[in-house]
Amino acid sequence: MRELDPRSLRGLAHPLRMQLLDALRRFGPATASQLAGRLGESSGATSYHLRQLATHGFVEDAPERGKGRERWWRAVHQGTRTNEELLYDPDPAVRGAVNTLVHLQADAHTRELSTFIGGFHDVPEDWRGASNISDWNLHLTPELARELNEKLEAIIESYKAAVPGRLDPGERPYRVHLHAFPRTDEENSK
């Protein structure tokens, strides 16, 4: 897990860079041309943004995959974490980058969920009932909310596969989104 700092945050908070990093994490090493084809971008754009991601330590060369001049890339970490200090950084550029990053993540989550819902009828029978689209309204103190988040993260971490990209028979990639936040509407702020 990569903890973001102001410099790496600015290096990641770009739509194409986030898509490139996600593709490398999900599908494994690839060339700029392969990623361009997957994402519908030019290889020049993907190549440039891969180099930027490498500058900030998100991706690296995968030389064991390359042949000749072909350059392969792989993700360095399987996840990133935004620390609380970045959310309240006094530098408006840092706060702007955090805002961009969080909105891009929320958009990606929405697209993933919509895709799943749109293809729900195609879910294999043995996977039916293995998804959950729920929400709860709780009344918590900040301390209890932090405790809840820590416990949920610990549970999710305990289910992570030991070797990303390698599945045992019967396994499928499985996505978990966690959105937990205090309500800010006037009625609930009392």
Side-chain angles (χ1 to χ4, degrees):
M1 183 69 69
R2 168 80 185 267
E3 183 85 23
L4 296 176
D5 57 40
R7 183 178 177 276
S8 62
L9 169 68
R10 286 190 291 266
L12 180 60
H14 183 281
L16 183 53
R17 291 179 197 166
M18 289 183 65
Q19 290 174 345
L20 290 166
L21 184 57
D22 179 60
L24 291 171
R25 287 176 174 167
R26 290 176 63 197
F27 305 111
T31 66
S33 294
Q34 290 169 333
L35 290 163
R38 179 180 291 278
L39 300 175
E41 295 286 340
S42 73
S43 59
T46 57
S47 182
Y48 170 79
H49 287 290
L50 284 164
R51 289 192 309 273
Q52 292 302 307
L53 286 168
T55 298
H56 294 281
F58 293 103
V59 302
E60 64 186 5
D61 284 315
E64 70 280 359
R65 301 292 290 266
K67 296 176 187 163
R69 296 181 53 157
E70 192 174 55
R71 187 173 188 182
W72 284 71
W73 298 91
R74 65 177 164 224
V76 175
H77 309 94
Q78 284 302 308
T80 52
R81 178 181 301 274
T82 305
N83 67 44
E84 190 173 309
E85 291 79 34
L86 290 176
L87 297 172
Y88 305 104
D89 195 281
D91 183 348
V94 172
R95 287 194 315 272
V98 169
N99 193 36
T100 297
L101 180 78
V102 172
H103 277 91
L104 289 170
Q105 288 172 328
D107 288 346
H109 291 179
T110 300
R111 281 191 308 277
E112 288 176 347
L113 183 58
S114 293
T115 299
F116 170 72
I117 291 168
F120 192 73
H121 61 278
D122 296 326
V123 172
E125 190 172 330
D126 58 338
W127 279 94
R128 293 181 186 162
S131 61
N132 186 339
I133 303 172
S134 302
D135 62 84
W136 293 267
N137 286 310
L138 307 172
H139 294 272
L140 301 174
T141 63
E143 295 77 20
L144 287 174
R146 284 187 195 92
E147 179 183 310
L148 174 65
N149 284 318
E150 289 169 6
K151 286 181 177 180
L152 290 170
E153 287 180 16
I155 290 169
I156 293 166
E157 286 291 327
S158 75
Y159 280 88
K160 274 189 163 176
V163 182
R166 296 189 182 159
L167 300 176
D168 290 330
E171 288 184 347
R172 290 181 72 160
Y174 191 81
R175 188 76 160 135
V176 177
H177 296 170
L178 176 59
H179 304 124
F181 49 89
R183 297 290 300 262
T184 57
D185 54 1
E186 191 175 315
E187 182 178 319
N188 292 312
S189 64
K190 295 176 185 176

